[in-house]
C-alpha cells in the first residue's frame, strides 16, 4: 500500500473499520451500498479522466514551481487593489490557524463568541471610519457591494418615486471599471436604468432614485461631495459612496457628508492581493435602512443570566424566510477576511492607521513633486494615494517593465500611479528613475517625504475614530497574540470536533492544501497585472477549470462568482443571455421546488425571474405531476428549473432524468444547485442527470475552509450552448465570446483560494475523489443506522439509503416541551456543534458527517445523540427546568458555589465518559435572540449603553 497517498489522510475511516461499518449498515460491500444509493441510470461508466494523484510532497514541489511562473512586480495599478502588509501575528494566529479558518458561520452563537467579537470589531471599525450608523459583517467584493447599495436604494426609494416608477440610477464616471460592469449586470434584470456621467454636470431636477460616487475617484482625484449629496437629498435622491477605507483616516468620511450608504473593500487592511481575492467588502448605512441591509449583521444581546453575548441579528437566515422577497442572496460572505481586517485595526489602532495613511499620502505627494521637477505634469488637483502623470505611456511602460514595476496606463499619454503601505523611499526613487529615464532628465533623488496635504481643508477629516478600547490596548505582540487566542478558545471549529452541518460539507481543509496561500508568488499578484506576469495563476486556474469540467461533465467553467449564491445568480444570468440570444426575451419563469435552499429564489429574483414554486411529495421528492403541470402551463415563458441534486432532503431522486427532460421539452434550461456535489463526484455528474449549468461550492465539496462564513468560491460549469455567455471583466477580458458583464469585481474571483481546490483535486486524483464520495455516503448511512430506533430519518432513497446526509425527526419531542434548538444547545455540552437546524424542514436536524470523519468520531457523535435522546425521554412538558432547556452549561455554572438545578453538575457538564478528555466550555449561556433584535446594536459600545430601560 502506498502509505503516502493523500486519500489516506483526507478520508477518515481506516480500511479495517470498513467491515464493521458495512455490517452496521447491512451492506456486503461499499459497492453494494453505492449501488443501492445512486440510481443505476445516472452512474458514470468509468473513473474521471484526471491526472494521477500527487502525494502531498509532490504537490508542495509542484505548486512551488508553478508559483515561480508568477512574476512579483511592484504594482502601482490601484483600481481598488493595493499591496498591503499582513502583520505576522495575524498571519500566523488567524490566517494560518485552523481554529479560525475551519469554523462555520456563527449559527450557534454560544460556541462562536470569539469570531462574533472579531466581526463586531470589524463592524465598529467600518462604522467609525465611514461615519455611518450601522455596518454589516462583510460582503463579497467592492463591485457587488456597490450593486447591493444600488438595490438597497431602489428598495427604499420614496413612495412618490415608486408611484412614478422612478428607476434611474446615476453612476459617476469616476467609478471603478469593474464596479461599473457589476452594476450593469445587476441593474437590468431588476429594471434599474443606469445613467453614467460627470457628477458636476448632474441634473438634480431629473427623476433619479439614487446615485453612486467614487471617493477618491478611480484615478485618485479627491472631490468634496458635500454639496452634491445635500442637493441630491433636496430632490429625494439618495447617494451611495464607494470609498477607499484607508483614505477615510485622512479625508472627511462620506457619512459626515450625508451619504445613505458607504461601501468599499477592506483589502488594503492587511489582506494579500491574491490575484483578486478573497477580500472582505464593507457596507455601512443609516439605522433607518437596517431592515433592507444585505448580508449578516452581528449584534449584541444578553444570555440567560443577563450577561453580554453576541449573535447574528435580524433574520439570520433571511432568504429561508423571505425567499424571492429577500433583500439579497448573500449567504456565504468574507468572514475570515473581515476578521483579519478588523484585527489589522486592533493591531495598528488609530495612531497606527494614521501613521500609515499619512505615509501613503506623503509618498504620493512627494512623488508628484519629484515628477514635476523632472518636467512632468501631474493632473490630480487633490489626491490621497494616487497621482496621474502625463507622459509617453509606451516609453514609460518599456522601462517600467525592465524594472519590474506596473503602473496603470490610462491612455497613450496618461499614467496613474497608486501608492500603498509597502512603498518606501527606495521604491519612490525607482519610480522617479523610470520617468527620468523616459524623458532623459537628470535624476533628483528623494530623501524625505513631504508633509503637506494635497487636498483641500474642507475634506480634511477632523473627527476621531477607533476610540473604543479594543483598538487601543493590544499593541504589543504578546497582548495581541493572547487576545486572538482568547477569542479562538471561545469557538468550536473543526480542530476540536466534527461539525456535521448538513448541506455545508464541513470536511478536512488539509494543511498541504492551505500552505501555498502564504507564498508571496501567489499572494502578491495584482488582479490587473499583465497576463505574462501571472502565468502560474493562468496555468493553475485553467487546469482547475478543466478539472471541474471533467468532474461535472460540462464544457466550460467560470471561477468568477465568490459564493454559491453568486454562482446561482451567474448561472441564471447566463441562462437569461442564452434565451435572449435566441430572441426569447420573454422567458422569465423559474420553477423552484418548495424544498430549495432560500438562496435559489433570492437569486432568481435578482436575475429578474418570476419564481413558480413546485410541490414536494410526502416522501420528500419533487412532485413530478405538479412539475409537469407547471412546466406545461408556463411552457411559452419557461426560463429554467432550479433543482438541487441529490435533493436538499439528502436523496438521489430516481425521477431526475424524467424531470430534466420535462424542462427541456418545454423550452427551459436546467440549473442544478451543486451544493450537494459531495455525493456525486466520480459516481455521477450534473451533465449525466441532464442539467445545463450548475454551481459548485468549492468551500464545501472542494475543501476550501468556511472561514467562519467565508471566503467562498462558487464557480459555474455549463453545457456547450451556454459557454459563449460566461462572464467577462472590463479590465482583463475573460469568459465567452458573447460574455455577459461582470458577476464579481476580479476577473477570476477569489483566485488565491482556488489553490486549495486545485490541490484537493491534484492530490486525490480520480480514485481518491470517487472514494471520498463513497466514504461520505458510507459515513452518513452509518450514522443513520446507529441512530435508528432513537431518531427517525425523514427521507431516504428507494432502497432505504441516505445520500451523503440525512434529516432526523425532532418534532414529536415538542410533546415533552423539547424543541430542536434544545438538542442543538445540549450538543454543545457534549462537545459538538449541532447539525443544520430546521433546514430544509422546520423542527428537524440535517446531519452530514463527510468522508473526513473517522469511525471513533462518528461513534462519539452518535453516543451523544443517543444520550440526549434519553434526556428527552426524561423531560416533562410541565417543568422546563431540565437539562436540555438549560443547555448549554458554562464553566461558570458548573463551578459556582450554588447549584440549583434538578440534576447533577456531572450530568450537566460531563454526561459521557469521553468528554472529560476534550471538554469544550461554551462561554455564555443561551443567547436571547428576541432581546437582541429589539435592541439592535452592532458595534462595540459598552453594555450599559443599550440595556433595555
Ligand atoms: C450552501 C448552499 C447554498 C449557498 O451557497 P453560499 O456559498 O453560501 O452562497 C445554496 N444552496 C444550497 C443547497 C446550499 O447548501
Amino acid at each position: 500500500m502506498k502509505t503516502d497517498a493523500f486519500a489516506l489522510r483526507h478520508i477518515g475511516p481506516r480500511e479495517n473499520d470498513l467491515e464493521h461499518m458495512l455490517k452496521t449498515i447491512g451492506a456486503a460491500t461499499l459497492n453494494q451500498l453505492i449501488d443501492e444509493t445512486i440510481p443505476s441510470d445516472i452512474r458514470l461508466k468509468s473513473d474521471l479522466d484526471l491526472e494521477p494523484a500527487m502525494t502531498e510532497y509532490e504537490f508542495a514541489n509542484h505548486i512551488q514551481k508553478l508559483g515561480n511562473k508568477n512574476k512579483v512586480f511592484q504594482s502601482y495599478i490601484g483600481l481598488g487593489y493595493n499591496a498591503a502588509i499582513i502583520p505576522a501575528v495575524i498571519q500566523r494566529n488567524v490566517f494560518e490557524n485552523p481554529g479560525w479558518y475551519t469554523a462555520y458561520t456563527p449559527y450557534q452563537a454560544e460556541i462562536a463568541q470569539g469570531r462574533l467579537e472579531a466581526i463586531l470589531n470589524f463592524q465598529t471599525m467600518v462604522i467609525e471610519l465611514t461615519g455611518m450608523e450601522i455596518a454589516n459583517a462583510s460582503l463579497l467584493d467592492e463591485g457587488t457591494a456597490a450593486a447591493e447599495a444600488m438595490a438597497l436604494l431602489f428598495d427604499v426609494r420614496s413612495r412618490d418615486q415608486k408611484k412614478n416608477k422612478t428607476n434611474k440610477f446615476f453612476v459617476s464616471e469616476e467609478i471603478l471599471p469593474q464596479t461599473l460592469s457589476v452594476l450593469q449586470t445587476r441593474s437590468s434584470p431588476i429594471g434599474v436604468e443606469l445613467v453614467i456621467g460627470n457628477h458636476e454636470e448632474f441634473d438634480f431636477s431629473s427623476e433619479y432614485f439614487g446615485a453612486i460616487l467614487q471617493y477618491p475617484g478611480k484615478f485618485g482625484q479627491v472631490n468634496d461631495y458635500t454639496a452634491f449629496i445635500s442637493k441630491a437629498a433636496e430632490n429625494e435622491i439618495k447617494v451611495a459612496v464607494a470609498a477607499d477605507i484607508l483614505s477615510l483616516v485622512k479625508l472627511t468620511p462620506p457619512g459626515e457628508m450625508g451619504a445613505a450608504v458607504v461601501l468599499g473593500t477592506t483589502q488594503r487592511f492587511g489582506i494579500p492581493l491574491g490575484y483578486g481575492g478573497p477580500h472582505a467588502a464593507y457596507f455601512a448605512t443609516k439605522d433607518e435602512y437596517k431592515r433592507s441591509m444585505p448580508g449578516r449583521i452581528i449584534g449584541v444581546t444578553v444570555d440567560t443570566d443577563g450577561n453580554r453575548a453576541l449573535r447574528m441579528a435580524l433574520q439570520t437566515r433571511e432568504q429561508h424566510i423571505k425567499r424571492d422577497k429577500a433583500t439579497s442572496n448573500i449567504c456565504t460572505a468574507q468572514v475570515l477576511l473581515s476578521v483579519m481586517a478588523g484585527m489589522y485595526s486592533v493591531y495598528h489602532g488609530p495612531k497606527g492607521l494614521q501613521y500609515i495613511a499619512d505615509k501613503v499620502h506623503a509618498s504620493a505627494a512627494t512623488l508628484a513633486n519629484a515628477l514635476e521637477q523632472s518636467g512632468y505634469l501631474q493632473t490630480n488637483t487633490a489626491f490621497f494615494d494616487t497621482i496621474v502623470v502625463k507622459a509617453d505611456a509606451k516609453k514609460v511602460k518599456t522601462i517600467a517593465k525592465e524594472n519590474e514595476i506596473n503602473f496603470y496606463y490610462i491612455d497613450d499619454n496618461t499614467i496613474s500611479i497608486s501608492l500603498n503601505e509597502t512603498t518606501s523611499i527606495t521604491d519612490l526613487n525607482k519610480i522617479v528613475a523610470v520617468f527620468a529615464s523616459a524623458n532623459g532628465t537628470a535624476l533628483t533623488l528623494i530623501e524625505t517625504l513631504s508633509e503637506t496635504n494635497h487636498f483641500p481643508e474642507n475634506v480634511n477629516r477632523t473627527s476621531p475614530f477607533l476610540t473604543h478600547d479594543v483598538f487601543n490596548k493590544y499593541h504589543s505582540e504578546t497582548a495581541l497574540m493572547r487576545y486572538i487566542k482568547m477569542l479562538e478558545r471561545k469557538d468550536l471549529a473543526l480542530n476540536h470536533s466534527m461539525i456535521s452541518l448538513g448541506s455545508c460539507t464541513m470536511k478536512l481543509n488539509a494543511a498541504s492544501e492551505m500552505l501555498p496561500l502564504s507564498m508571496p508568488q501567489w499572494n502578491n499578484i495584482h488582479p490587473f497585472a499583465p497576463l505574462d506576469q501571472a502565468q502560474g495563476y493562468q496555468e493553475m486556474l485553467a487546469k482547475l477549470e478543466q478539472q471541474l469540467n471533467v468532474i461535472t461533465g460540462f464544457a466550460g467553467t467560470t471561477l468568477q462568482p465568490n459564493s454559491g449564491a453568486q454562482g446561482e445568480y451567474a448561472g441564471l444570468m447566463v441562462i437569461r443571455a442564452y434565451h435572449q440570444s435566441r430572441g426569447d426575451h420573454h422567458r422569465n419563469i423559474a420553477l423552484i421546488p418548495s424544498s430549495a435552499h432560500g438562496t435559489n429564489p433570492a437569486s432568481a429574483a435578482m436575475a429578474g425571474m418570476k419564481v413558480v414554486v413546485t410541490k414536494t411529495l410526502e416522501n420528500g421528492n419533487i412532485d413530478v405531476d405538479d412539475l409537469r403541470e407547471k412546466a406545461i402551463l408556463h411552457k411559452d415563458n419557461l426560463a429554467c428549473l432550479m433543482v438541487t441534486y441529490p435533493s436538499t432532503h439528502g436523496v438521489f431522486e430516481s425521477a431526475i432524468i424524467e424531470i430534466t427532460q420535462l424542462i427541456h421539452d418545454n423550452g427551459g434550461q436546467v440549473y442544478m444547485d451543486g451544493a450537494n456535489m459531495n455525493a456525486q463526484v466520480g459516481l455521477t455528474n450534473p451533465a449525466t442527470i441532464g442539467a445545463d449549468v450548475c454551481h459548485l461550492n468549492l468551500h464545501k465539496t472542494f475543501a476550501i475552509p468556511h472561514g467562519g462564513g467565508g471566503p467562498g468560491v462558487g464557480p459555474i460549469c455549463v453545457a456547450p450552448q451556454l459557454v459563449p455567455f460566461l462572464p467577462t471583466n472590463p479590465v482583463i477580458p475573460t469568459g465567452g465570446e458573447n460574455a455577459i458583464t461582470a458577476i464579481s469585481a476580479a476577473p477570476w474571483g477569489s483566485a488565491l483560494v482556488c489553490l486549495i481546490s486545485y490541490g484537493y483535486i491534484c492530490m486525490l486524483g480520480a480514485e481518491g475523489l470517487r472514494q471520498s464520495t463513497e466514504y461520505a455516503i458510507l459515513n452518513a448511512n452509518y450514522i443513520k443506522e446507529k441512530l435508528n430506533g432513537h431518531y427517525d430519518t425523514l427521507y431516504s432513497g428507494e432502497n432505504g439509503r441516505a445520500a451523503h446526509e440525512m434529516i432526523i425527526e425532532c418534532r414529536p419531542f415538542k410533546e415533552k416541551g423539547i424543541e430542536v434548538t434544545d438538542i442543538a444547545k445540549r450538543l454543545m455540552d457534549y462537545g459538538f456543534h449541532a447539525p443544520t437546524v430546521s433546514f430544509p424542514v422546520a423542527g428537524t436536524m440535517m446531519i452530514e458527517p463527510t468522508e473526513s470523519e473517522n469511525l471513533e468520531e462518528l461513534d462519539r457523535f452518535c453516543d451523544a445523540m443517543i444520550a440526549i435522546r434519553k434526556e428527552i425521554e426524561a423531560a416533562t412538558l410541565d417543568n422546563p427546568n431540565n437539562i436540555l432547556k438549560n443547555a448549554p452549561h458554562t464553566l461558570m455554572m458548573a463551578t459556582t458555589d450554588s447549584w440549583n438545578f434538578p440534576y447533577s453538575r456531572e450530568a450537566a457538564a460531563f454526561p459521557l465518559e469521553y468528554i472529560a478528555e476534550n471538554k469544550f466550555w461554551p462561554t455564555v449561556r443561551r443567547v436571547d435572540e428576541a432581546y437582541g433584535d429589539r435592541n439592535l446594536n452592532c458595534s462595540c459600545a459598552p453594555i450599559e449603553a443599550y440595556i433595555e430601560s
Side-chain angles (χ1 to χ4, degrees):
M1 185 165 71
K2 281 183 64 183
T3 61
D4 58 356
F6 175 66
L8 292 174
R9 307 286 160 185
H10 175 74
I11 296 173
R14 302 293 89 191
E15 205 180 359
N16 51 11
D17 295 330
L18 199 57
E19 197 188 321
H20 163 71
M21 295 177 75
L22 287 168
K23 209 167 144 199
T24 307
I25 290 170
T29 62
L30 194 48
N31 277 339
Q32 185 199 329
L33 171 67
I34 301 303
D35 287 344
E36 289 172 357
T37 306
I38 307 181
S40 57
D41 60 337
I42 58 165
R43 287 286 293 278
L44 297 183
K45 305 279 176 289
S46 57
D47 258 348
L48 297 168
D49 183 15
L50 295 168
E51 285 175 31
M54 295 180 196
T55 65
E56 293 181 72
Y57 181 68
E58 283 165 352
F59 179 71
N61 287 328
H62 166 72
I63 212 70
Q64 175 85 54
K65 241 166 76 192
L66 202 54
N68 289 341
K69 294 190 184 175
N70 293 324
K71 296 190 201 127
V72 183
F73 280 29
Q74 290 288 355
S75 279
Y76 304 110
I77 297 170
L79 291 181
Y81 301 94
N82 301 87
I85 300 169
I86 163 171
V89 56
I90 297 174
Q91 170 163 349
R92 174 141 296 197
N93 295 288
V94 180
F95 187 56
E96 297 174 345
N97 179 349
W100 285 95
Y101 66 69
T102 69
Y104 196 70
T105 303
Y107 287 135
Q108 299 297 335
E110 296 83 358
I111 50 175
Q113 290 294 303
R115 59 191 186 278
L116 285 164
E117 175 164 333
I119 312 170
L120 196 75
N121 293 345
F122 172 85
Q123 290 179 175
T124 307
M125 164 190 101
V126 169
I127 288 169
E128 297 198 4
L129 285 171
T130 57
M132 300 300 285
E133 289 164 352
I134 182 168
N136 74 8
S138 86
L139 290 177
L140 298 169
D141 61 23
E142 177 161 333
T144 54
E148 298 292 350
M150 171 184 75
L152 181 145
L153 297 184
F154 192 48
D155 182 40
V156 302
R157 67 198 190 281
S158 72
R159 203 174 295 150
D160 280 350
Q161 289 176 332
K162 279 183 185 163
K163 212 173 64 205
N164 301 334
K165 299 216 157 60
T166 310
N167 69 341
K168 280 198 297 188
F169 187 66
F170 175 77
V171 182
S172 159
E173 61 195 16
E174 288 284 329
I175 205 87
L176 295 173
Q178 67 274 22
T179 299
L180 176 59
S181 189
V182 175
L183 286 171
Q184 284 164 337
T185 313
R186 291 280 294 272
S187 57
S188 87
I190 57 170
V192 168
E193 182 194 338
L194 297 187
V195 180
I196 302 152
N198 183 330
H199 76 279
E200 282 172 1
E201 292 157 15
F202 183 68
D203 174 11
F204 289 95
S205 64
S206 186
E207 283 274 295
Y208 285 85
F209 69 86
I212 186 164
L213 309 169
Q214 187 92 36
Y215 183 63
K218 64 181 168 186
F219 301 131
Q221 175 67 34
V222 171
N223 295 306
D224 182 357
Y225 292 130
T226 313
F228 182 96
I229 295 172
S230 66
K231 263 210 198 129
E234 287 164 21
N235 294 278
E236 289 197 50
I237 301 166
K238 299 185 179 82
V239 181
V241 178
D244 174 342
I245 188 105
L246 183 62
S247 76
L248 301 184
V249 169
K250 286 188 74 72
L251 303 176
T252 306
E256 292 174 19
M257 298 177 178
V261 180
V262 187
L263 62 106
T265 176
T266 58
Q267 179 267 319
R268 71 189 311 176
F269 275 19
I271 312 298
L273 288 166
Y275 203 41
H279 311 136
Y282 72 85
F283 189 101
T285 186
K286 296 183 176 179
D287 195 60
E288 59 188 292
Y289 305 137
K290 67 188 171 205
R291 299 206 180 257
S292 300
M293 181 140 94
R296 272 77 179 252
I297 310 168
I298 305 309
V300 188
T301 186
V302 292
D303 75 357
T304 308
D305 288 339
N307 291 321
R308 177 181 186 268
L310 308 175
R311 58 4 134 209
M312 297 204 286
L314 298 178
Q315 305 177 358
T316 331
R317 311 188 113 211
E318 220 249 325
Q319 296 99 17
H320 289 310
I321 300 160
K322 296 211 258 168
R323 315 292 287 185
D324 53 324
K325 306 281 183 311
T327 55
S328 89
N329 70 342
I330 296 290
C331 181
T332 289
Q334 300 277 21
V335 169
L336 185 70
L337 298 313
S338 72
V339 166
M340 288 172 64
M343 286 296 178
Y344 179 90
S345 281
V346 172
Y347 173 87
H348 285 293
K351 286 201 189 103
L353 287 189
Q354 187 74 55
Y355 173 78
I356 293 166
D358 285 345
K359 187 182 143 207
V360 168
H361 180 61
S363 301
T366 309
L367 182 65
N369 287 340
L371 293 180
E372 277 165 0
Q373 272 173 30
S374 296
Y376 287 98
L377 176 66
Q378 194 287 118
T379 59
N380 278 345
T381 53
F383 58 84
F384 165 63
D385 68 345
T386 301
I387 59 172
V388 173
V389 183
K390 288 290 180 190
D392 182 336
K394 241 197 206 131
K395 238 179 184 173
V396 171
K397 193 171 182 175
T398 310
I399 305 167
K401 232 171 139 177
E402 284 164 13
N403 289 279
E404 305 198 331
I405 291 173
N406 292 322
F407 300 125
Y408 188 72
Y409 302 97
I410 300 172
D411 58 39
D412 287 350
N413 49 33
T414 320
I415 302 170
S416 112
I417 308 173
S418 291
L419 301 180
N420 59 67
E421 183 191 2
T422 73
T423 312
S424 64
I425 290 184
T426 312
D427 293 328
L428 293 179
N429 280 322
K430 279 192 195 152
I431 298 174
V432 175
V434 168
F435 278 85
S437 161
N439 74 352
T441 49
L443 183 64
T444 31
L445 281 182
I446 296 170
E447 277 162 18
T448 52
L449 297 182
S450 128
E451 276 179 18
T452 44
N453 280 346
H454 281 246
F455 48 80
E457 196 57 32
N458 52 358
V459 289
N460 192 13
R461 176 170 193 139
T462 52
S463 49
F465 56 90
L466 305 189
T467 52
H468 191 273
D469 244 20
V470 73
F471 301 110
N472 294 284
K473 69 189 225 203
Y474 302 115
H475 292 162
S476 76
E477 178 162 333
T478 301
L480 183 56
M481 173 179 72
R482 287 179 188 155
Y483 176 60
I484 293 172
K485 182 68 190 174
M486 176 186 79
L487 297 187
E488 182 196 336
R489 269 203 315 268
K490 297 181 178 186
D491 288 13
L492 193 145
L494 276 180
N495 59 350
H496 182 87
S497 58
M498 171 164 79
I499 302 179
S500 60
L501 281 162
S503 212
C504 304
T505 315
M506 301 292 289
K507 61 169 64 177
L508 170 74
N509 316 114
S512 54
E513 294 155 358
M514 300 299 295
L515 281 179
L517 268 56
S518 297
M519 290 163 57
Q521 298 95 318
W522 291 109
N523 67 27
N524 281 345
I525 309 290
H526 192 286
F528 301 145
L531 290 181
D532 63 356
Q533 291 169 28
Q535 283 307 298
Y537 261 116
Q538 287 301 312
E539 205 175 311
M540 182 274 287
L541 296 168
K543 276 189 167 168
L544 177 59
E545 287 176 6
Q546 184 52 31
Q547 290 166 336
L548 298 179
N549 288 344
V550 169
I551 288 168
T552 56
F554 281 138
T557 291
T558 174
L559 293 164
Q560 216 179 84
N562 285 321
S563 73
Q566 290 301 96
E568 292 167 19
Y569 173 68
L572 295 174
M573 290 302 284
V574 163
I575 288 175
R576 182 173 179 264
Y578 164 78
H579 285 315
Q580 291 185 345
S581 77
R582 296 156 45 99
D584 286 347
H585 293 266
H586 51 280
R587 290 198 172 273
N588 71 339
I589 301 281
L591 298 179
I592 303 183
S594 58
S595 60
H597 194 269
T599 54
N600 288 192
S603 298
M606 280 166 59
M609 294 186 184
K610 251 183 69 193
V611 175
V612 173
V613 178
T614 74
K615 287 185 196 150
T616 304
L617 292 173
E618 189 88 348
N619 68 6
N621 289 351
I622 290 175
D623 182 337
V624 181
D625 290 335
D626 183 59
L627 183 75
R628 182 178 301 108
E629 203 173 288
K630 284 170 177 156
I632 292 170
L633 176 67
H634 295 291
K635 80 199 253 290
D636 292 337
N637 298 314
L638 187 61
C640 65
L641 164 76
M642 292 186 88
V643 61
T644 306
Y645 201 75
S647 70
T648 54
H649 293 152
V651 174
F652 283 97
E653 293 176 51
S654 50
I656 189 66
I657 297 272
E658 184 188 350
I659 289 169
T660 54
Q661 187 61 46
L662 187 56
I663 298 303
H664 289 143
D665 289 347
N666 289 289
Q669 295 278 293
V670 175
Y671 183 95
M672 193 199 88
D673 179 328
N676 289 344
M677 198 64 198
N678 210 42
Q680 287 197 33
V681 180
L683 297 175
T684 180
N685 67 32
T688 303
I689 68 161
D692 301 288
V693 42
C694 74
H695 79 257
L696 302 173
N697 301 65
L698 297 192
H699 48 298
K700 293 179 179 169
T701 311
F702 296 93
I704 294 178
H706 286 264
V713 178
I716 55 168
C717 308
V718 300
Q721 77 276 14
L722 299 179
V723 173
F725 307 102
L726 291 177
T728 187
N729 177 277
V731 184
I732 307 277
T734 58
E737 62 221 52
N738 294 317
I740 59 169
T741 44
I743 292 294
S744 307
W748 287 275
S750 294
L752 181 66
V753 288
C754 285
L755 281 164
I756 302 166
S757 299
Y758 175 67
Y760 175 80
I761 296 168
C762 285
M763 289 190 283
L764 279 178
E767 196 186 338
L769 286 170
R770 176 178 44 74
Q771 279 176 348
S772 295
T773 311
E774 291 167 350
Y775 274 83
I777 292 171
L778 174 75
N779 279 358
N781 280 285
Y782 178 77
I783 292 182
K784 177 168 173 277
E785 292 308 322
K786 283 272 284 193
L787 296 185
N788 193 12
H790 306 280
Y791 296 88
D792 292 337
T793 304
L794 270 188
Y795 309 109
S796 32
E798 282 172 5
N799 301 306
R801 300 302 185 192
H804 64 311
E805 61 191 1
M806 91 233 51
I807 299 173
I808 58 164
E809 181 61 273
C810 303
R811 288 168 292 194
F813 309 142
K814 283 181 206 272
E815 282 172 24
K816 304 210 161 253
I818 301 302
E819 304 285 333
V820 65
T821 312
D822 300 320
I823 303 174
K825 303 305 174 192
R826 180 61 177 148
L827 268 169
M828 296 172 187
D829 291 332
Y830 286 82
F832 283 104
H833 190 289
T836 297
V837 172
S838 288
F839 170 77
V841 183
T844 67
M845 276 185 170
M846 182 156 63
I847 307 169
E848 178 185 6
T850 85
E851 68 277 13
S852 298
E853 297 300 337
N854 65 18
L855 178 60
E856 290 78 6
E857 186 74 350
L858 300 178
D859 281 338
R860 280 190 288 267
F861 175 77
C862 291
D863 288 349
M865 289 299 290
I866 292 165
I868 290 174
R869 184 66 187 81
K870 288 185 186 127
E871 293 169 355
I872 295 170
E873 227 25 68
T876 52
L877 187 57
D878 51 320
N879 185 6
N881 185 10
N882 64 47
I883 206 159
L884 287 138
K885 286 277 173 217
N886 292 331
H889 296 83
T890 62
L891 181 58
M892 196 64 96
M893 289 166 80
T895 55
T896 193
D897 285 345
S898 62
W899 177 262
N900 296 319
F901 301 106
Y903 45 86
S904 74
R905 294 173 202 258
E906 188 178 2
F910 295 95
L912 288 177
E913 209 168 309
Y914 71 75
I915 296 168
E917 199 173 65
N918 193 24
K919 176 66 185 171
F920 188 92
W921 291 105
T923 52
V924 295
R925 293 192 64 185
R926 206 176 292 192
V927 302
D928 188 335
E929 303 283 352
Y931 178 92
D933 280 349
R934 276 197 315 274
N935 302 277
L936 188 68
N937 180 300
C938 63
S939 69
C940 8
I943 183 94
E944 301 76 46
Y946 46 85
I947 285 283
E948 213 164 9
S949 49

